[in-house]
Amino acid sequence: MRSRQIVRPRTVSEATTALAEVEAKGGRALVVGGGTIAVPQLIRLEVDPTDVVDLGDLEIPRMWHDENTVRLGPAASYQSLLDTPGAEGYMPLLHLMAKGITGGIQIRSQGTIIGSLVCARPYSDAPAVLVAHAARVTLASSRGTRTMPAEQFLTSPEHPDLRPDELVTEVILPLRPEAVSHGYYKLKFAESSWPVVTCACTVLADGTAELTLGGVRGVPWKIHVSGRVANDPRQLRDTLEDRMSAFAEDDFWADIRADGAYRRRVAATVASRASRHAFARLPSGMEQP
């Protein structure tokens, strides 16, 4: 078995210095947050790093907020989000998602939001929900920092815009007063399985809806529709099919769970259920279309 160097940085500077040193010597670093994805990859020999950078001791708060934003650090787990007072109001879609994460309390407590984002798996819950939240991602290296929208960070399946010497230090969620209601739905074939297709729906104050689909394409897909379309399954199906017809066949994600044709076929049903959930949760006094 290969002997690996394990580093447990306490600060961002220590972490980025460690990553820079690995790159300089021609090594391959594996950054571990919660470990729910990285550790099984190591066991199955799917990755073969020379160095492991364990973020378990990193001195960054799990989450913090001001009057305009909520910020999640590398250790922010699904369960810590559920346990934080007021989190449902600050990040409603993430809260809805976290309540239904596959794997129960063990995965909710260990798995991290940023870890899921960095893995950029099309079928994971978190990446599409972060895009739905209009999240921004801050990356740090020994050269400095850069920040970009989550939608831009997720450039292709399992290959985000993350350089070998970079670390995601925070995800920034803007508070959106124009977003008045939210819904989330995911299709999966068994209670313990990964999702096949997910959809996050945000209803805006003007009655329109943002739909962000995960698992249909290689990256999260956000569209904007009228409230009338969002509430009519047939119109929504026709609208999605019209927009999907512009994509090439290999734009649709396929894996062992389902091929691209199936994901395309069920996209409207999943979106309709997320939309129904969101519109059913509208504040009193706000009428459905």
Side-chain angles (χ1 to χ4, degrees):
M1 181 179 293
R2 177 193 294 273
S3 175
R4 297 187 178 99
Q5 178 75 26
I6 300 177
V7 180
R8 294 185 174 89
R10 288 185 137 336
T11 66
V12 171
S13 177
E14 289 178 3
T16 55
T17 296
L19 290 173
E21 289 174 349
V22 173
E23 186 182 32
K25 71 179 184 181
R28 297 176 303 282
L30 177 66
V31 178
V32 177
T36 58
I37 295 176
V39 172
Q41 286 180 318
L42 277 171
I43 294 172
R44 293 192 296 263
L45 304 179
E46 295 172 355
V47 294
D48 185 25
T50 58
D51 298 76
V52 174
V53 179
D54 184 346
L55 303 183
D57 295 332
L58 201 62
E59 296 174 348
I60 298 179
R62 291 190 172 196
M63 60 186 72
W64 63 105
H65 68 88
D66 55 31
E67 59 184 15
N68 297 313
T69 60
V70 176
R71 296 172 185 253
L72 305 178
S77 66
Y78 302 101
Q79 191 62 43
S80 65
L81 187 154
L82 293 174
D83 292 342
T84 299
E88 185 173 8
Y90 296 135
M91 37 193 160
L93 279 170
L94 271 175
H95 196 271
L96 282 173
M97 178 212 73
K99 288 193 296 185
I101 202 73
T102 298
I105 185 65
Q106 182 175 356
I107 296 299
R108 291 201 307 270
S109 298
Q110 189 175 351
T112 64
I113 307 296
I114 285 179
S116 180
L117 175 69
V118 168
C119 286
R121 292 177 167 180
Y123 47 85
S124 292
D125 294 80
V129 171
L130 291 172
V131 169
H133 262 295
R136 295 178 63 79
V137 183
T138 298
L139 304 96
S141 71
S142 58
R143 294 171 283 104
T145 62
R146 58 190 182 116
T147 301
M148 68 182 72
E151 198 165 5
Q152 181 181 334
F153 177 72
L154 296 164
T155 55
S156 62
E158 302 180 355
H159 290 90
D161 184 6
L162 181 67
R163 298 162 189 164
D165 64 339
E166 285 184 319
L167 172 75
V168 176
T169 57
E170 64 177 3
V171 167
I172 306 164
L173 307 174
L175 299 183
R176 302 182 66 196
E178 76 281 9
V180 296
S181 187
H182 305 83
Y184 187 67
Y185 185 81
K186 61 181 172 182
L187 170 67
K188 56 183 184 177
F189 294 143
E191 183 60 32
S192 61
S193 71
W194 286 94
V196 177
V197 172
T198 68
C199 185
C201 177
T202 299
V203 181
L204 304 179
D206 63 4
T208 60
E210 292 175 352
L211 300 170
T212 307
L213 287 137
V216 176
R217 305 180 65 197
V219 294
W221 176 38
K222 180 186 279 192
I223 65 171
H224 192 274
V225 298
S226 70
R228 188 172 300 279
V229 168
N231 268 296
D232 185 322
R234 180 172 296 180
Q235 287 192 60
L236 183 56
R237 181 197 64 203
D238 292 345
T239 298
L240 287 177
E241 186 56 41
D242 180 62
R243 300 194 188 186
M244 288 188 291
S245 67
F247 302 145
E249 185 176 342
D250 60 3
D251 278 341
F252 295 96
W253 178 249
D255 58 24
I256 60 172
R257 294 163 196 84
D259 60 21
Y262 179 82
R263 294 168 188 272
R264 176 175 180 169
R265 189 163 63 249
V266 301
T269 299
V270 174
S272 183
R273 292 180 182 180
S275 176
R276 187 187 313 155
H277 185 197
F279 278 96
R281 301 172 76 239
L282 283 174
S284 59
M286 186 172 178
E287 295 184 0
Q288 294 198 23

